[in-house]
Amino acid sequence: MDIQSASSVVLQALTQATSQDTAVLKPAEEQLRQWETQPGFYSVLLSIFNNHLLDVNVRWLAVLYFKNGIDRYWRRVAPHALSEEEKSSLRAGLITNFNEPVNQIATQIAVLIAKVARLDCPRQWPELIPILLESVKVQDSLQQHRALLTFYHVTKTLASKRLATDRRLFQDLASSIYSFACSLWNHHTDTFLQQIYAGDQQTALSSLERTLLSLKVLRKLTVHGFNEPHNNMEVMGFLNAVFERLKQFLECCRQVGPGSLCREKLEKTIILFTKVLLDFLEYHPCPFIPLIQRSLEFAVSYVFTEAGEGVVFERFIVQCMNLIKMIVKNDAYKPAKNIEDSKPESLEAHKIKTAFFTHQTLTEIGRRLVSKYFLLTEEELTMWEEDPESFAVEETGGGSWKYSLRPCTEVLFLDIFHNYSQTLTPVLLEMVQNLQGPSNVEDPVQMLMKDAVYNVVGLTAYELFDNVDFDQWFKNQLLGELQVSHNRYKLIRRRVIWLVGQWISVKFKPDLRPLLYEVILSLMQDPDLVVRIETATTLKLAVDDFEFRTEQFLPYLESIFGLLFQLLQQVNECDTKMQVLHVISCVIERVSIQIRPYVGCLVQYLPLLWKQSEEHNMLRCAILTTLIHLVQGLGAESKNLYPFLLPVIQLSTDVSQPPHVYLLEDGLELWLATLENSPAITPELLRIFQNMSALLELSSENVRTCFQIINAYIYLSATDFLQNYAEALCRSFCELLRDITTEGQVQVLKVVEIAIKVSPVLGSHMFQPVLPAVLQGIVEGERYPVVMSTYLGVMGRILLQNSGFFTSLLTQMAVEFNQEADQLLGSMIEMWVDRMDNITQPERRKLSALALLSLLPSDNSVIQDKFCGIINISVEALHDVMTEDPETATFKDCMLMSHFEEPKLTDDEEPPTEQDKRRKLLALEDPVHSVSLQQFVYEKLKAQQMLMGDQGFQALMETVDTEIVRQLQEFIQGM
């Protein structure tokens, strides 16, 4: 690409690519895409974005195209890689001048240079760092800033490389430039402080930006540039200087006030100082030990004493709390259980911490955390009034403790309490004691304090197990507080019901449950929405608990369920609706069929909610979960939901519909639950199966549920299902079996086995294409026992329940193998006998015996030749299934089922689904459960004897081991 002539063409294309008109934009983008692999294209882009006279948008686009090109074409091994000559020229052009006037473009160029540095520095680009070091010294403020910006991005990128050689290179770089970086930072910092106190805010802001950039460079060098940073005086000197500078900058914040031009950048710099300490502590816990004392003194003085008044701000408080938390919690600072096994540095750190965290200090921190940081703020109270749903969900969901003050406060308190519970437990109990009795609604401070203390008692429930008699406290104090109906007391009502929720799984007597349900029933009618939402959450915790007893809850079920439904209608936000739906789901799941009389309203409302939640897939997931529990609770009555339910399943499991990405897993669970509880097949239910072949093609983690769904259809209506879908399903199975794990093969073949078991004729016929591989696997002796067992299960069903089909399959295979059918049959029986030990389930072992015995009586020489093996298997199976009646000394087949009984259920047992009933009825017809093996053996041997005559039969019996014959006679004597 000739640069001069190409420049104008590329410039024109870039100009068109910034157009708002797609007719102009699209062809230009296509043209630029084609040029990406042309030699010289990136040189043209460089000349364009370095030309400050051109339009900013065009230059911006040129930088972006260049940046994307580095990812695609800079590596030597990349397709259409740039030539070494062009790369060399581009590298030189990128660092000729640092004078980009537009901030955003300057940042992009810095990132772009860093990307090249990641690949080429230092080997192909040794001059980069020296040029940057020279450029940050120049007097021109723009050039200095841009060079510093680039220096930072290069350092950041090189620090992120993780290969050992790259890390060594970065460490070499760090040790060679660390002194310079420190002096640069000190210089800019001092300059800034002089300017800000001289009142020159505009110039100070410019110096502050340089301070910030040079500090960012130092952060990367300090944290990632040294293997043993504690042995480097400059590194430790810098880290100690951080504390001094932090004080100076915090004081500076106090001086300039909140409205200052520099305020935002000042706070950013202060946070960056704390990040240096936090990062160093995270990556180098042992080298940090000399800084523990100073860090704790610093953080505690600013956050927990008057020293911080008027200077601290929220993000800084969070960072200080995180610093304290990381020191308290750090495993490297704890001695081993056996003190002699401890590392010296762990003992040193522990000693420093113990000396710092005196009884007085811990008490003060504990009290301050509760009385200052746990109090609800004005903003939170306003949010409660103006946006109660956001307040309730925000409160229960919490934010990230790394960035938000409230969760950070809670996590810090828990960690300190866990490590120093002996000191802090009496402090907390005393605070509780001071707040006994109802609070004065005219005293907001007292109310907020009680809210804070109760919050802490809830968070530390597990730690306080031995120190608080919660049952007594609930009856004597908390219950009374829940009955104070004053509007302002809602603060305490909400906190107390939350507190009960925290203690339910820790310590709450089962016989207090009815009392709790009465409270919940009352608070679900509270005038305040936040109280109602919190009560619903506590209800979920109570119902979801190990100690939950349905009979205790049943008297309240109708009223509470009705109020839950009302709450679901009253709330508007997606997150809140999801939260309430989870409670409803949980209640339905725990009370099971007892829910049936009360779900009418919910059933009518869910279609409307589904329609309204079209844009909110997570809410739809919550609706699907509710529907799953609803279907399981309704059982056969769930058929009344089909007009709504089936289109929901259809949409959720259709991979051509975008929402399936979110809904598929729950949609499949709902589909399965619907089939298992369906009393009969319907055309609509059958039609949904059209979604299945695409789902099997996905072969994702949901494939197991897909197989369960297929099985459920077979149990529900084998004939309708197999006639409609078996052909397509068989094609899917053949595809799957080509490339699937052994576990997957077993899942596929189990479906085939169930189809043949439920419908021997249709099942065998429909899945015929899969069966030759099964017979072949048996004959060749499949090496995986679990697969072999499944093969024998499938073939056993065919042999026993569809013998005509077995004969035709054998004939077909004999032709394919160019063998006699009898020879193939002989090999199969031989392998079957040999691999009987692969079969572990008693049902399948009995099936094998029945299947092989069904070949008798026979005058076929091959079958007679294998007679001994058939008898061996039969006797093994008799040992498996026959139990002796001690009174009559006779044997009985324990697998026989004579009639279908509805089992008597305890409260905790799930009632049988419709599918459970179908499987029971099917079992009554299954030869494994309807034919006595003892009787069958006797009849087959008798028939063989009649066929061959006594003498011939006697000769046949002599091929069997005498001990086996003796055991056989024991089983069939008296018949």
Side-chain angles (χ1 to χ4, degrees), residues 504-505 513 517 537-548 582 586-587 589-590:
I504 277 171
S505 59
R513 287 299 176 105
Y517 298 142
T537 307
T538 294
L539 170 65
K540 181 179 185 296
L541 293 166
V543 169
D544 212 11
D545 183 56
F546 179 72
E547 297 277 3
F548 175 77
H582 286 314
C586 196
V587 170
E589 185 181 15
R590 292 313 298 264

Side-chain angles (χ1 to χ4, degrees), residues 688-744:
I688 302 175
F689 196 79
Q690 291 168 353
N691 286 355
M692 184 56 74
S693 56
L695 289 165
L696 291 175
E697 276 175 37
L698 281 181
S699 60
S700 63
E701 64 276 8
N702 295 311
V703 77
R704 184 184 292 273
T705 315
C706 290
F707 287 137
Q708 290 175 300
I709 288 168
I710 297 164
N711 290 341
Y713 270 108
I714 294 169
Y715 285 124
L716 181 58
S717 180
T719 306
D720 288 334
F721 173 68
L722 292 173
Q723 283 174 345
N724 278 281
Y725 293 112
E727 204 174 311
L729 195 56
C730 196
R731 279 198 300 274
S732 295
F733 281 1
C734 290
E735 284 292 318
L736 275 172
L737 287 168
R738 280 193 200 123
D739 180 28
I740 200 170
T741 61
T742 41
E743 191 191 349

